[in-house]
Amino acid sequence: MDLRSRIRRRQHSGNDAQLILDYDAVNPAVHVEEPTGRGPVPEQLLDYTDPIFHGQLPSHAYVWGPSGSGKSAVITALLTQLDRLLCRSRTAIHTTTRARPDGTPAFVYVDARRARSDFGLYQTILDSVLEESVPEHGVGVDAISSWLSEHLEPRENRVLVAVDHVGEPDTYSLSELAGTLSPLNDSLSWIAVGRSPPDDLPEIPPEHIEIPAYDDHVLVDILTERASDGLSQRAVTHEQLRRIVRWGEGNAHNALAALLSAASVAVAHNRSRVIDEDIQTGMDAVPRPSVSLARVLCLSQNRQSVLRQLVDLDDTERASVDTTTETIAQTSGVNLSEATVKRFLYELAETGIIERVTNDTSPGIGRPPSRLEPRFPTLVFRQLYDLPS
């Protein structure tokens, strides 16, 4: 553990008896600055970016792998280090940049879960490469596209942009992304990051790099390191971490979600250590398959507030969409009409964040009602949502 991590542990600890010392360290939606255990992947990515060191942009690329394989962590780490080492005037992704007389491109990361439209995509890229701030409202997509084109017109103003979470519900497909950015191909190269294997896609760029699921021994090391940074000493045993890893099947997101869920259960019972029963409860609180917690945390505050109430409802209160809607709308702190709550619930079900499960045991004639089941780690979401800001 480095000095920064040690300071953060003391900053977050409050008292020596606290079990969870640093939520970020064990939060599955937070990536470490230096991902480990990815084998040859970093070298493959550096081979791909090699033209940058010779004053050229690389070709477009597609990086793919299953959920929880560390795609986002590797890509953000790559761009951050390229940015720090090659563009010394900037220190991190998303900061502004000046024109580069040496031809070094700007490095931009775009989360497609947040930039869901052409305007959002162009605005994010432009805001990352200009010194002045770029408006998020009050201008049209044609204007923002024109500004970006004008900025990239000089030879030295070039960009390598990574667009993460391509191909998810409500995000760009690979072909849509390629079409949207094609007018900028002379000055911009992109890396699309998604889950679908190349063989399942109609069109792929010339470069495609796979990031496979974690091996069990690597994932044990990752959990051990994250637990050491985020939990109190001896809060969890090595065998408990191995149990989570065997259950997680190479998915770091699910394994971390189960670990933080188990720790949250232990805290709720005023325990200073996680017991085996907590581990089981933590794993049970992570659906299989599970929606990424980061995707849930990208939702609007109103939608998150609806989900926060949903995870506290019992089976009776979730027996049908109407019952769930009425209960949530009447909850103190949810300042939304029943119509709005119901619309949110249907939207969230349509995108797979929650699931409508037919209640086959319902008596009567006609179509049986559907109960609503969360498809994300509920204990972790509740814990993070309730943390003081």
Side-chain angles (χ1 to χ4, degrees):
M1 190 196 320
D2 59 21
L3 183 59
R4 179 174 175 232
S5 298
R6 294 178 185 274
I7 294 172
R8 288 175 65 188
R9 280 171 63 91
R10 292 177 181 261
Q11 181 184 16
H12 287 270
S13 63
N15 61 72
D16 293 338
Q18 189 171 347
L19 193 151
I20 303 176
L21 303 181
D22 185 348
Y23 280 93
D24 283 352
V26 285
N27 182 346
V30 174
H31 305 304
V32 297
E33 292 185 2
E34 290 286 347
T36 59
R38 291 293 67 202
V41 169
E43 281 299 322
Q44 291 173 347
L45 288 169
L46 286 175
D47 287 343
Y48 158 72
T49 58
D50 189 66
I52 291 172
F53 300 94
H54 305 283
Q56 301 175 351
L57 283 174
S59 60
H60 304 318
Y62 179 57
V63 175
W64 65 281
S67 174
S69 59
K71 301 183 297 297
S72 299
V74 171
I75 290 297
T76 53
L78 172 71
L79 294 189
T80 298
Q81 291 303 324
L82 287 172
D83 191 76
R84 286 174 177 171
L85 296 175
L86 299 182
C87 312
R88 297 180 183 273
S89 63
R90 301 196 304 157
T91 57
I93 304 171
H94 297 310
T95 59
T96 57
T97 182
R98 292 176 167 83
R100 305 160 198 275
D102 61 354
T104 302
F107 301 100
V108 177
Y109 173 85
V110 177
D111 185 346
R113 293 167 175 165
R114 299 184 184 276
R116 301 183 181 184
S117 63
D118 291 356
F119 178 90
L121 178 63
Y122 293 142
Q123 193 277 339
T124 302
I125 297 172
L126 190 59
D127 194 53
S128 298
V129 299
L130 289 184
E131 290 188 354
E132 63 269 24
S133 61
V134 178
E136 298 182 14
H137 309 284
V139 295
V141 65
D142 290 340
I144 209 84
S145 173
S146 177
W147 294 346
L148 180 58
S149 297
E150 290 174 5
H151 175 77
L152 294 179
E153 187 173 341
R155 175 67 178 170
E156 64 271 15
N157 291 344
R158 295 180 296 170
V159 179
L160 175 63
V161 54
V163 183
D164 202 357
H165 308 119
V166 169
E168 294 185 2
D170 287 338
T171 72
Y172 282 96
S173 68
L174 184 60
S175 59
E176 288 171 341
L177 177 67
T180 300
L181 294 180
S182 60
L184 307 172
N185 279 346
D186 290 341
S187 301
L188 181 149
S189 288
W190 48 261
I191 307 171
V193 184
R195 297 179 186 173
S196 299
D199 292 345
D200 294 346
L201 300 172
E203 297 180 32
I204 58 171
E207 290 281 346
H208 39 94
I209 300 169
E210 179 182 7
I211 300 183
Y214 287 101
D215 293 335
D216 281 2
H217 71 278
V218 173
L219 191 49
V220 168
D221 290 342
I222 291 172
L223 258 63
T224 300
E225 182 176 353
R226 301 275 293 248
S228 175
D229 289 347
L231 305 182
S232 61
Q233 292 186 0
R234 295 180 292 277
V236 62
T237 68
H238 187 72
E239 182 52 42
Q240 287 172 331
L241 295 179
R242 288 178 59 85
R243 180 183 173 191
I244 291 174
V245 166
R246 288 192 296 269
W247 165 88
E249 298 180 338
N251 188 317
H253 170 273
N254 288 358
L256 284 167
L259 174 60
L260 182 50
S261 296
S264 300
V265 173
V267 168
H269 287 85
N270 296 315
R271 287 192 275 270
S272 60
R273 297 183 181 182
V274 175
I275 64 174
D276 290 347
E277 183 180 342
D278 300 332
I279 296 293
Q280 187 61 55
T281 303
M283 293 187 299
D284 291 342
V286 182
R288 308 282 292 274
S290 176
V291 170
S292 168
L293 185 66
R295 184 178 158 204
V296 177
L297 297 176
C298 282
L299 296 171
S300 68
Q301 184 58 41
N302 282 337
R303 286 170 174 79
Q304 288 191 48
S305 69
V306 168
L307 291 176
R308 177 60 186 88
Q309 300 307 319
L310 176 67
V311 300
D312 276 352
L313 302 185
D314 59 31
D315 291 343
T316 301
E317 293 168 321
R318 288 189 289 107
S320 70
V321 176
D322 288 341
T323 301
T324 303
T325 297
E326 182 179 356
T327 304
I328 292 177
Q330 293 177 354
T331 302
S332 175
V334 177
N335 299 316
L336 301 170
S337 67
E338 287 192 19
T340 299
V341 171
K342 178 176 285 190
R343 175 168 60 85
F344 285 173
L345 291 173
Y346 278 120
E347 288 176 357
L348 293 166
E350 189 172 324
T351 56
I353 291 176
I354 60 179
E355 182 180 10
R356 295 175 61 191
V357 180
T358 301
N359 186 359
D360 293 329
T361 61
S362 177
I365 301 174
R367 183 177 182 179
S370 300
R371 71 180 187 276
L372 297 175
E373 296 288 348
R375 301 305 306 167
F376 55 91
T378 53
L379 291 181
V380 176
F381 173 72
R382 180 191 290 118
Q383 191 80 15
L384 296 178
Y385 187 94
D386 292 345
L387 282 177
S389 57

